Amino acid sequence: MSRIAFTNARIVCPANGIRHGTLLIEGETIAAGEDVPADATVIDCAGKTLAPGIVDLGAFAVDKAACRDGGVVRVALMPDQSPVLDDPGIVRRAATMGKPELWVHPLGAATRGLAGTDLAEMAINASAGARAVATGRRWIADSGLMRKVLAYARDCGLAVVSHAEDTGLTGEAVATDGLTATLLGLPSAPAIAEALAIARDLMLAEETGARIHFRQVTTAAGFDLVRAAKRRGVAVTCGITPAHLLLSDIAVSDFRTYAHLSPPLRSEADRRACLAALRDGTIDVLASGDDPRGPEEKRLPFADSAPGAAGTRTLLALALGLARDAEMPPDRLFALLAANPARVLGLETGTLEPGRPADLILFDPDTPWQIDAEALGNTPFDGLPVQGRVLRMFKGGKEILG
């Protein structure tokens, strides 16, 4: 059995806090103790940070090189693929596409073709490797069908990952109602479309006893509903991307299609509510929302462009900046990036506890660099100076080289 001892490391674990010292891995798992065996390969970390590899919950694409650069060891892939992940053969193929460097955990479609009309085969998709059920980029408007989705997922032991925007209000909107949308003449929808969708889905989840995860909550009203549901004991979790924590709808003022996202960027008041929810623990998951689009989809008038942005390579650096601004300890940050998404997916990873898979990253939180859309693809953070670079990454005890 191979052994690796990481010495002189700042070790960050969502379960056991922060310490300085040695972490030992044996084979594919993390070992107990700090004594370095004579046959171990020693890696002197020079005081840099050792943390669990990131579990990215809800990406729309898989890019191994981007994941290596961004410290992502596992990707929960949204079902909005071509073809849609609604068939066991397609799910099984998606589950094997990244190995051994990267593990892809498909999210099975909640409905056939994500059309929102007929239930997909959750049980056999789960046996093929689906780790949760998702509504994709869409909200399921039919309340009766959504209730069946939640009940069936509960019986299969799966969480439902929901997109929260009431389509009866959003229609063809590409922006949030407000001064920016008015000045630019963009089709817009009220932010309450999110809270309406969350309210209904929470009521159905509470009534069925299902687990529900809102992939992105971005409004004050939405967070209020999630907080209240958590107090009642509803099995609800929610996530967000750095974009909605750092940018408001002002970012689209010059018709920047790189800032065309779904859900759309919100008002400054809602952005501040997102930061408050991050601080008070309402937000459970911080994810990339990686949804890269090519020039043919972005170099269009704003209303005609596709929503989405690349996010995998920038997730760690932006998250470290958010943690610094919010005075959030690193172990809490890695709960958001690794332990909590793993828990939603039912994966025994995301911490550095003994016996867990040796999925980890070594990074320098202080290395400065500048986000470059030319190199990284469409991103609303083009030109932003950030700090934090992944130095080395290990998946199941084996180093993943760049």
Side-chain angles (χ1 to χ4, degrees):
M1 178 185 297
S2 64
R3 294 181 173 85
I4 302 175
F6 297 88
T7 63
N8 190 24
R10 181 183 183 232
I11 300 167
V12 174
C13 175
N16 293 325
I18 304 167
R19 65 181 175 88
H20 292 265
T22 298
L23 183 80
L24 180 66
I25 62 176
E26 293 181 343
E28 298 181 355
T29 61
I30 295 167
E34 293 193 42
D35 295 336
V36 180
D39 61 347
T41 299
V42 177
I43 295 176
D44 184 348
C45 298
K48 305 305 182 189
T49 303
L50 196 63
I54 294 172
V55 181
D56 194 11
L57 204 175
F60 290 87
V62 175
D63 180 334
K64 287 185 181 179
C67 288
R68 166 59 185 79
D69 291 348
V72 174
V73 296
R74 297 172 187 254
V75 173
L77 183 64
M78 293 294 285
D80 315 56
Q81 307 297 313
S82 181
V84 171
L85 303 182
D86 63 355
D87 173 88
I90 301 168
V91 169
R92 189 174 294 108
R93 188 163 68 242
T96 58
M97 63 192 290
K99 292 179 179 176
E101 298 92 346
L102 173 72
W103 280 19
V104 176
H105 300 290
L107 305 184
T111 58
R112 294 183 189 277
L114 291 172
T117 54
D118 300 297
L119 282 180
E121 294 289 351
M122 294 183 202
I124 58 174
N125 286 339
S127 66
R131 300 301 308 195
V133 174
T135 66
R137 292 187 175 96
R138 311 173 194 177
W139 186 64
I140 295 177
D142 184 327
S143 298
L145 182 63
M146 185 60 178
R147 184 177 183 276
K148 291 178 181 175
V149 166
L150 288 161
Y152 195 11
R154 175 206 60 203
D155 293 344
C156 294
L158 301 172
V160 175
V161 178
S162 179
H163 180 86
E165 282 187 295
D166 187 317
T167 50
L169 284 178
T170 56
E172 301 300 319
V174 296
T176 301
D177 278 358
L179 181 61
T180 300
T182 300
L183 291 174
L184 299 181
L186 294 174
S188 63
I192 199 172
E194 179 178 282
L196 282 172
I198 290 173
R200 188 209 65 175
D201 286 355
L202 279 175
M203 292 180 72
L204 292 174
E206 186 168 13
E207 190 260 345
T208 57
R211 289 191 293 136
I212 189 164
H213 174 76
F214 294 104
R215 189 174 64 85
Q216 292 198 70
V217 179
T218 59
T219 63
F223 285 118
D224 286 343
L225 289 165
V226 172
R227 285 190 191 96
K230 286 185 172 184
R231 285 196 295 270
R232 294 197 306 274
V234 180
V236 57
T237 51
C238 69
I240 198 168
T241 68
H244 289 90
L245 289 160
L246 293 167
L247 302 174
S248 71
D249 58 350
I250 296 173
V252 307
S253 292
D254 58 355
F255 294 102
R256 288 183 71 226
T257 57
Y258 281 5
H260 182 188
L261 306 175
S262 175
L265 293 173
R266 304 300 190 183
S267 68
E268 178 62 15
D270 277 327
R271 187 188 76 85
R272 291 181 181 277
C274 294
L275 291 171
L278 186 71
R279 293 189 186 95
D280 71 16
T282 303
I283 293 173
D284 304 278
V285 171
L286 187 56
S288 73
D290 191 55
D291 194 3
R293 303 285 188 162
E296 71 283 358
E297 293 182 284
K298 281 296 185 182
R299 290 178 183 168
L300 295 170
F302 193 95
D304 297 327
S305 66
T312 303
R313 282 191 170 92
T314 56
L315 174 59
L316 177 62
L318 293 172
L320 289 168
L322 284 163
R324 279 190 287 267
D325 292 344
E327 298 183 349
M328 178 192 300
D331 49 341
R332 161 68 178 148
L333 177 63
F334 276 88
L336 292 162
L337 291 171
N340 292 350
R343 191 172 300 118
V344 172
L345 298 169
L347 300 171
E348 293 293 325
T349 187
T351 75
L352 299 182
E353 295 171 287
R356 298 297 178 98
D359 300 344
L360 46 87
I361 56 175
L362 179 68
F363 68 93
D364 182 351
D366 300 319
T367 299
W369 58 287
Q370 189 170 25
I371 295 174
D372 179 4
E374 286 293 323
L376 304 184
N378 60 292
T379 166
F381 297 106
D382 186 29
L384 182 72
V386 293
Q387 290 179 262
R389 279 285 198 190
V390 174
L391 303 173
R392 303 178 76 165
M393 186 165 87
F394 294 79
K395 176 79 192 73
K398 294 183 179 178
E399 183 164 14
I400 307 302
L401 302 175

